[in-house]
Amino acid sequence: MRPVYIEELGQHVGSEVLIQGWLYNKRSSGKVRFVLVRDGTGLVQGVVTPTADPAAFALADSLPQEASLRMGGTVRAEPRAPGGFEVAVTHLEPVHIPTAPFPIGLKEHGPGFLMDHRHLWIRSRRQTPILRLRDAVLWAIRSFFHERGFVATEAPVLVGTAVEGTTTLFPLDYFGTPAYLSQSGQLYLEATCAALGKVYWIGPVFRAEKSKTRRHLTEFWMAEAEQAFLDHEGNLALQEDLVRYVVESVVAERPRDLGELERDPSLLRREVAEPFARVTYHEAVALVQAAGVAMEVGDDFGAPAEDALSQHFGRPVFVERFPAAIKPFYMKRDPVRPDLALCADLIAPEGYGEIIGGSQRVDREEELLAQLREAGLPEEPYRWYLDLRRWGAVPHSGFGLGVERTVQWIAGIPHIREAIPFPRTLDRLYP
RNA sequence: UCCCCGGUAGCUCAGUUGGCAGAGCAGCCGGCUGUUAACCGGCGGGCCGGAGGUUCGAGUCCUCCCCGGGGAGCCA
């Protein structure tokens, strides 16, 4: 019998196949046993009767949840079966029989218990489609940049200095020298974009902030891009093209996973169908205030303010030209309004929050020095970064996209911890 | 760091005015020839988060502590 994956069963109706996987659940009725087997690509029901194979029938009774097994039989179309196909079992063989009951039952569990068993929870029917969607998002990002001629290059994760002096970093001892886990690869991408023109990387970044919310992780993945000779306007166009490309690719390639999560693909399509909304920081503050959320000019947007904006537009919205005072030192000032930064945040629809932060970067050494001093940062650790403005400085822009928040939005899941296989949060380092 | 909610069987929870510790699921035993988180009958299963206090009597009331969840701030 030929080993096949469950997602390919439709091509094998009428023939004998071998499924290799794990027992998800079993049911029985008189002299019929139903074994639900999953193999990572899907879930299929095997039907076992005592006449077809007495040994398999007895085994089907005794196998516990998550036993690994090989199941052979004939594929047939069956409207009553989950997935539309089932296997008439003629062969059932355990690979490993669990030594204790599987902790994750089919009934409800609390979040604390599930997080303690994340290594087993990821096998469940809701978690596997989310992780497949994450894969689709990452592939879409890579293929978008590849098609556009961007070079995949890497930023270091171990760094000696903060990217933005403000954010809290995870400190570590680097052979006696203080070092940190990187919170962004951006500064390094600015160096590689001067070598390669258009660059991107996708990698883990770390924030030691004591955030305790459904949209924060201490370790998360960013997709960052940097392009030489790209200005603020071009930067926004690039971001919009990327986000639309990712949503459309995932919706086209993964309808089954979206369906299992009861996420409406047409809603996602509608959200990216039109050009993204675009407001200035000051317009956004006025909109937020009009929506009844307390906020003043000079404040950054909190979660309620982002929700108000995302509700107002019903599609992704760029908020651009923030006051430079509340943004990092490396952002270029608006030549017309030097108190504003040439930057933008992209807010996802449906309250999923900020998914992109980007800006045009300072390209003159004296300007960068002034802004470093203004931010109260030392010059010495940034010497290499200042060097980039000494030899062939060009206008350049870039941005960082939060991978988990993008997955959260596309998959339509309420908590970010389900958008990554092993989430790291404020008080969770296990498993 | 701050605010709110919670901690009772392996899991999810109920527990009245302070008066014998409960259910469903999971496990084990039995039944049922098309189940859909199957269903039906039976059995075993408890440091009621911890410490102290009030009381004849505390899962229940009070104080402190520990742990978990949600949110704020900050950010992607």
Side-chain angles (χ1 to χ4, degrees), chain A residues 369-390:
Chain A
L369 268 172
Q371 292 186 195
L372 258 180
R373 287 193 198 107
E374 220 173 289
L377 294 172
E379 189 181 320
E380 197 42 45
Y382 293 97
R383 190 60 255 166
W384 68 268
Y385 187 64
L386 287 155
D387 272 357
L388 302 177
R389 279 76 184 166
R390 282 184 138 175

Side-chain angles (χ1 to χ4, degrees), chain A residues 74-288:
Chain A
T74 308
V75 183
R76 61 188 179 210
E78 169 55 69
R80 286 172 294 183
F85 301 100
E86 67 179 16
V87 176
V89 177
T90 56
H91 169 81
L92 192 62
E93 168 202 346
V95 175
H96 175 251
I97 296 172
T99 51
F102 192 61
I104 314 284
L106 299 173
K107 299 272 178 175
E108 290 168 13
H109 294 287
F113 178 83
L114 289 171
M115 289 296 288
D116 285 340
H117 296 85
R118 180 63 179 169
H119 51 300
L120 304 173
W121 182 27
I122 50 177
R123 300 183 184 191
S124 76
R125 210 170 177 175
R126 183 179 156 77
Q127 297 304 306
T128 49
I130 296 174
L131 295 180
R132 274 194 293 264
L133 287 172
R134 178 187 171 95
D135 165 67
V137 166
L138 287 166
W139 271 107
I141 294 169
R142 291 189 179 105
S143 85
F144 172 85
F145 284 123
H146 184 69
E147 284 174 19
R148 297 269 179 133
F150 279 70
V151 178
T153 180
E154 280 70 39
V157 166
L158 293 170
V159 296
T161 53
V163 171
E164 312 168 17
T166 55
T167 316
T168 320
L169 296 160
F170 283 105
L172 55 97
D173 174 64
Y174 194 76
F175 307 114
T177 305
Y180 307 93
L181 293 176
S182 176
Q183 58 188 309
S184 163
Q186 180 204 312
L187 268 45
Y188 294 94
L189 287 189
E190 287 186 55
T192 43
C193 97
L196 297 160
K198 295 183 280 189
V199 297
Y200 77 100
W201 93 299
I202 304 173
V205 293
F206 306 85
R207 304 280 163 92
E209 309 236 310
K210 302 211 167 175
S211 299
K212 221 187 141 174
T213 81
R214 65 177 68 191
R215 15 185 182 202
H216 287 87
L217 294 167
T218 51
E219 174 181 331
F220 65 98
W221 283 59
M222 277 228 281
E224 302 189 273
E226 200 72 29
Q227 181 173 344
F229 297 101
L230 185 72
D231 65 8
H232 175 66
E233 286 299 320
N235 196 19
L236 294 198
L238 180 66
Q239 293 167 39
E240 178 163 346
D241 287 352
L242 168 67
V243 171
R244 181 171 294 113
Y245 182 99
V246 168
V247 171
E248 284 175 351
S249 307
V250 174
V251 166
E253 288 165 21
R254 288 285 168 181
R256 202 166 49 89
D257 293 319
L258 290 169
E260 280 176 35
L261 296 168
E262 293 177 328
R263 182 66 165 148
D264 178 10
S266 64
L267 172 63
L268 287 167
R269 273 207 196 87
R270 271 201 309 281
E271 285 171 343
V272 299
E274 288 174 47
F276 293 179
R278 195 166 155 178
V279 289
T280 65
Y281 169 85
H282 289 84
E283 288 163 350
V285 171
L287 281 170
V288 167

Side-chain angles (χ1 to χ4, degrees), chain A residues 326-407:
Chain A
I326 58 169
K327 286 290 178 183
F329 72 93
Y330 51 72
M331 292 186 177
K332 190 175 176 67
R333 302 294 172 93
D334 186 334
V336 185
R337 285 279 305 272
D339 57 321
L340 302 181
L342 282 178
C343 68
D345 288 353
L346 183 66
I347 317 273
E350 300 172 68
Y352 287 100
E354 182 186 343
I355 54 171
I356 290 184
S359 66
Q360 185 165 344
R361 323 302 192 187
V362 175
D363 50 50
R364 294 291 162 221
E365 188 181 14
E366 58 280 6
E367 217 173 304
L368 189 57
L369 268 172
Q371 292 186 195
L372 258 180
R373 287 193 198 107
E374 220 173 289
L377 294 172
E379 189 181 320
E380 197 42 45
Y382 293 97
R383 190 60 255 166
W384 68 268
Y385 187 64
L386 287 155
D387 272 357
L388 302 177
R389 279 76 184 166
R390 282 184 138 175
W391 290 285
V394 297
H396 63 289
S397 302
F399 61 91
L401 169 108
V403 171
E404 287 75 15
R405 285 194 187 167
T406 305
V407 172

